[in-house]
Amino acid sequence: MDLWYTEKQTPRHGITTKIKETLHTEQTEFQKLDMIETEEFGTMLVLDGMVMTTDKDEFVYHEMVSHVPLFTHPNPKKVLVVGGGDGGAIREVLKHASVEKAVLVEIDGKVIEYSKKHLPNIAGELDNPRVEVQVDDGFMHIHNHKNEYDVIMVDSTEPVGPAAKLFERGFYQGIYEALTEEGIFVAQSDNPWFHGDLIKKVFADVKGIFPITRLYTCNIPTYPSGMWTFTLGSKKHDPLEVDPARFNAIETKYYTPELHKAAFVLPKFVQDLTEGK
């Protein structure tokens, strides 16, 4: 008998993939967690019925959420990742030699535990001595650490359950205050096909706080619609004006210096969202 996993991405649309076995399933304190071994994408982490990451395509998201802000900042030394318990963003952050400390704040310790067990290629740097892992509320961490971080990445689930408050204007204001004077932050902001209103709201909220606000995209096949957006807020540095000399060689599979700027070239219907249309 064939076994298939289906994510209902909207009430009228979903994706499905053939699975070999369920590696782990658990209702944690915060969400339903499933680790699934799929035939097409390898091991897949699913939270509350939503695909978070897979062995095959994880590099796209983790490289784009990390390297765009890190290469934009002239000298990032202390970096915060809110969420991201799978460890992929941390792995990419550590590729930057200037980073002296990377702090991961993940509210659900079970995500960290089972990512280490079943996704070692993604979570393999969580025990690195440059990394501090805290099982805590990222929302509260932001508000308790003023003027501390050079770069902050919000690697959250969609705006449901414990992640809902990570999409509020007050959270972005807290991020602004937690950043140093040259600070930059980036947050995943979902897809424009099914959640255009969310992108419009997030972009407007961030633009109301940060002098420089940009939206960029990438392609992730297991995420709803395949097109994914990130919203970047910066106090001083524009990602479109990065000195080419900043792009030192790091090992990547998706991100390139050319793609760094190309990712900000938006289709018209996505550009309209940033203009409140």
Side-chain angles (χ1 to χ4, degrees), residues 73-96:
H73 194 286
N75 188 29
K77 293 183 178 181
K78 190 170 184 180
V79 177
L80 171 66
V81 178
V82 176
D86 56 62
I90 288 291
R91 181 196 65 202
E92 298 303 315
V93 168
L94 295 182
K95 293 179 181 179
H96 292 257

Short mmCIF file of all heavy atoms in Angstrom, two decimals, residues 73-96:
data_model
loop_
_atom_site.label_atom_id
_atom_site.label_comp_id
_atom_site.label_asym_id
_atom_site.label_seq_id
_atom_site.Cartn_x
_atom_site.Cartn_y
_atom_site.Cartn_z
N HIS A 73 25.34 43.72 5.98
CA HIS A 73 25.95 44.35 7.15
C HIS A 73 27.48 44.38 6.97
O HIS A 73 28.08 43.39 6.57
CB HIS A 73 25.60 43.58 8.42
CG HIS A 73 25.89 44.33 9.68
ND1 HIS A 73 27.18 44.52 10.16
CD2 HIS A 73 25.07 44.95 10.57
CE1 HIS A 73 27.13 45.21 11.28
NE2 HIS A 73 25.85 45.48 11.55
N PRO A 74 28.13 45.50 7.27
CA PRO A 74 29.58 45.61 7.04
C PRO A 74 30.44 44.74 7.94
O PRO A 74 31.54 44.34 7.56
CB PRO A 74 29.87 47.09 7.27
CG PRO A 74 28.77 47.56 8.15
CD PRO A 74 27.56 46.79 7.74
N ASN A 75 29.95 44.42 9.15
CA ASN A 75 30.78 43.64 10.07
C ASN A 75 29.91 42.98 11.15
O ASN A 75 29.99 43.33 12.33
CB ASN A 75 31.83 44.54 10.73
CG ASN A 75 32.84 43.76 11.53
OD1 ASN A 75 33.14 42.60 11.23
ND2 ASN A 75 33.38 44.38 12.57
N PRO A 76 29.11 41.99 10.77
CA PRO A 76 28.23 41.35 11.76
C PRO A 76 29.00 40.47 12.73
O PRO A 76 29.69 39.54 12.33
CB PRO A 76 27.29 40.50 10.88
CG PRO A 76 28.10 40.19 9.66
CD PRO A 76 28.97 41.39 9.43
N LYS A 77 28.87 40.79 14.01
CA LYS A 77 29.59 40.03 15.03
C LYS A 77 28.65 39.20 15.91
O LYS A 77 28.98 38.08 16.29
CB LYS A 77 30.41 40.98 15.91
CG LYS A 77 31.56 41.65 15.19
CD LYS A 77 32.37 42.52 16.14
CE LYS A 77 33.56 43.15 15.43
NZ LYS A 77 34.38 43.99 16.37
N LYS A 78 27.50 39.76 16.24
CA LYS A 78 26.56 39.04 17.09
C LYS A 78 25.22 38.93 16.37
O LYS A 78 24.63 39.94 15.98
CB LYS A 78 26.39 39.73 18.45
CG LYS A 78 25.60 38.89 19.45
CD LYS A 78 25.63 39.48 20.85
CE LYS A 78 24.93 38.56 21.84
NZ LYS A 78 24.94 39.12 23.22
N VAL A 79 24.75 37.70 16.22
CA VAL A 79 23.56 37.42 15.41
C VAL A 79 22.54 36.65 16.24
O VAL A 79 22.92 35.75 17.00
CB VAL A 79 23.94 36.61 14.16
CG1 VAL A 79 22.70 36.25 13.35
CG2 VAL A 79 24.94 37.37 13.30
N LEU A 80 21.28 37.01 16.08
CA LEU A 80 20.18 36.30 16.74
C LEU A 80 19.29 35.64 15.70
O LEU A 80 18.91 36.26 14.71
CB LEU A 80 19.35 37.28 17.57
CG LEU A 80 18.04 36.74 18.16
CD1 LEU A 80 18.32 35.67 19.21
CD2 LEU A 80 17.21 37.89 18.76
N VAL A 81 18.95 34.38 15.94
CA VAL A 81 17.95 33.67 15.15
C VAL A 81 16.78 33.36 16.06
O VAL A 81 16.94 32.65 17.06
CB VAL A 81 18.50 32.37 14.53
CG1 VAL A 81 17.40 31.64 13.75
CG2 VAL A 81 19.68 32.67 13.61
N VAL A 82 15.61 33.90 15.75
CA VAL A 82 14.39 33.63 16.51
C VAL A 82 13.63 32.52 15.79
O VAL A 82 13.29 32.64 14.62
CB VAL A 82 13.51 34.89 16.62
CG1 VAL A 82 12.20 34.56 17.34
CG2 VAL A 82 14.25 35.99 17.35
N GLY A 83 13.35 31.43 16.51
CA GLY A 83 12.79 30.24 15.87
C GLY A 83 13.94 29.44 15.28
O GLY A 83 15.04 29.40 15.84
N GLY A 84 13.68 28.79 14.16
CA GLY A 84 14.77 28.10 13.47
C GLY A 84 15.39 26.97 14.25
O GLY A 84 16.60 26.73 14.17
N GLY A 85 14.57 26.24 15.03
CA GLY A 85 15.10 25.17 15.86
C GLY A 85 15.70 24.02 15.09
O GLY A 85 16.41 23.19 15.67
N ASP A 86 15.47 23.96 13.77
CA ASP A 86 16.12 22.92 12.96
C ASP A 86 17.61 23.18 12.78
O ASP A 86 18.37 22.28 12.42
CB ASP A 86 15.45 22.79 11.60
CG ASP A 86 15.41 24.10 10.83
OD1 ASP A 86 16.49 24.64 10.52
OD2 ASP A 86 14.31 24.59 10.52
N GLY A 87 18.05 24.42 13.02
CA GLY A 87 19.48 24.73 13.00
C GLY A 87 20.05 25.15 11.66
O GLY A 87 21.23 25.49 11.58
N GLY A 88 19.24 25.18 10.61
CA GLY A 88 19.76 25.50 9.29
C GLY A 88 20.27 26.92 9.16
O GLY A 88 21.33 27.15 8.55
N ALA A 89 19.56 27.88 9.72
CA ALA A 89 20.02 29.26 9.65
C ALA A 89 21.32 29.44 10.43
O ALA A 89 22.24 30.12 9.98
CB ALA A 89 18.94 30.21 10.18
N ILE A 90 21.41 28.80 11.59
CA ILE A 90 22.64 28.86 12.38
C ILE A 90 23.82 28.31 11.58
O ILE A 90 24.92 28.89 11.57
CB ILE A 90 22.47 28.08 13.69
CG1 ILE A 90 21.55 28.83 14.65
CG2 ILE A 90 23.82 27.81 14.34
CD1 ILE A 90 22.12 30.12 15.22
N ARG A 91 23.62 27.20 10.90
CA ARG A 91 24.68 26.61 10.08
C ARG A 91 25.21 27.61 9.06
O ARG A 91 26.43 27.75 8.87
CB ARG A 91 24.14 25.37 9.35
CG ARG A 91 25.15 24.63 8.47
CD ARG A 91 24.44 23.68 7.52
NE ARG A 91 23.60 24.40 6.58
CZ ARG A 91 22.55 23.85 5.93
NH1 ARG A 91 22.23 22.59 6.13
NH2 ARG A 91 21.85 24.59 5.09
N GLU A 92 24.31 28.35 8.42
CA GLU A 92 24.73 29.32 7.41
C GLU A 92 25.39 30.54 8.05
O GLU A 92 26.35 31.09 7.52
CB GLU A 92 23.52 29.74 6.56
CG GLU A 92 22.88 28.61 5.78
CD GLU A 92 23.87 27.92 4.84
OE1 GLU A 92 24.63 28.62 4.14
OE2 GLU A 92 23.88 26.67 4.83
N VAL A 93 24.87 30.98 9.18
CA VAL A 93 25.45 32.14 9.88
C VAL A 93 26.93 31.90 10.19
O VAL A 93 27.77 32.79 10.03
CB VAL A 93 24.67 32.43 11.19
CG1 VAL A 93 25.43 33.42 12.06
CG2 VAL A 93 23.27 32.97 10.87
N LEU A 94 27.25 30.69 10.61
CA LEU A 94 28.61 30.38 11.01
C LEU A 94 29.60 30.35 9.86
O LEU A 94 30.81 30.32 10.08
CB LEU A 94 28.65 29.04 11.75
CG LEU A 94 27.90 28.99 13.09
CD1 LEU A 94 28.06 27.63 13.74
CD2 LEU A 94 28.37 30.10 14.03
N LYS A 95 29.12 30.41 8.63
CA LYS A 95 30.01 30.50 7.48
C LYS A 95 30.67 31.87 7.38
O LYS A 95 31.62 32.05 6.61
CB LYS A 95 29.25 30.18 6.19
CG LYS A 95 28.78 28.72 6.09
CD LYS A 95 28.01 28.47 4.81
CE LYS A 95 27.53 27.02 4.73
NZ LYS A 95 26.75 26.75 3.49
N HIS A 96 30.18 32.82 8.15
CA HIS A 96 30.71 34.18 8.13
C HIS A 96 31.72 34.33 9.26
O HIS A 96 31.37 34.29 10.45
CB HIS A 96 29.58 35.20 8.26
CG HIS A 96 28.69 35.23 7.06
ND1 HIS A 96 28.74 36.23 6.11
CD2 HIS A 96 27.73 34.36 6.64
CE1 HIS A 96 27.86 35.99 5.16
NE2 HIS A 96 27.23 34.85 5.46
#
